[in-house]
Amino acid sequence: MPTTQTGGCNCGGVTFKVTGPLRDVIACHCGQCRKQTGLYYAATEVADDSLEVSDSGTLAWYRASDEAGRGFCNRCGSALFWKNNDSTKTSILAGSLDLPSNLTLTKHIFVADKGDFYRITDALPQLPQSHRT
């Protein structure tokens, strides 16, 4: 895995650089992620002190719940981040990373809430709820 990884939104209004290790990708199929992306949220995670965000004024945060917020570009609509209020880590949508990411999808979470219009057909673990419980 590279020691430096870059990424950003579709229009370039928000870019970021990661200088620490990224967690492998987890696919979240919960209702909030499904509604924000139209499918599911495939995200990695990094320590906050390893994430540097450059923003031209288009980064916005939506308070998705009392526990977390979702960062996105308010110009192009790209979903970029998920952040738990009490965490020292930030989730980054894997699709916002520049290639190669050298990451691997490792599991599916909240599959009890997944959309009814698709099937998960890989052999990865499928957890009915969160990976933290």
Side-chain angles (χ1 to χ4, degrees):
M1 186 174 310
T3 57
T4 300
Q5 180 70 49
T6 58
C9 68
N10 201 30
C11 72
V14 180
T15 59
F16 58 85
K17 180 168 76 169
V18 175
T19 56
L22 289 165
R23 180 198 70 203
D24 277 328
V25 177
I26 296 174
C28 182
H29 301 264
C30 80
Q32 285 186 2
C33 289
R34 197 168 23 84
K35 288 187 178 210
Q36 184 178 33
T37 65
L39 187 57
Y40 56 87
Y41 215 73
T44 182
E45 185 178 69
V46 67
D48 290 342
D49 61 3
S50 295
L51 176 62
E52 178 184 323
V53 178
S54 298
D55 169 25
S56 67
T58 64
L59 179 61
W61 285 88
Y62 169 65
R63 299 300 313 156
S65 69
D66 291 339
E67 291 84 33
R70 295 170 181 273
F72 64 98
C73 176
N74 67 18
R75 181 169 49 207
C76 68
S78 295
L80 299 166
F81 307 113
W82 182 89
K83 175 84 173 144
N84 185 291
N85 298 343
D86 300 325
S87 180
T88 59
K89 296 179 179 179
T90 298
S91 291
I92 302 170
L93 265 74
S96 69
L97 295 167
D98 295 329
L99 298 177
S101 73
N102 297 310
L103 296 173
T104 303
L105 183 65
T106 58
K107 69 178 93 170
H108 299 269
I109 61 172
F110 289 99
V111 297
D113 300 333
K114 79 169 203 55
D116 61 358
F117 58 91
Y118 67 95
R119 293 180 306 169
I120 301 171
T121 59
D122 59 40
L124 297 174
Q126 296 184 28
L127 304 171
Q129 299 298 319
S130 173
H131 67 291
R132 299 185 200 282
T133 57

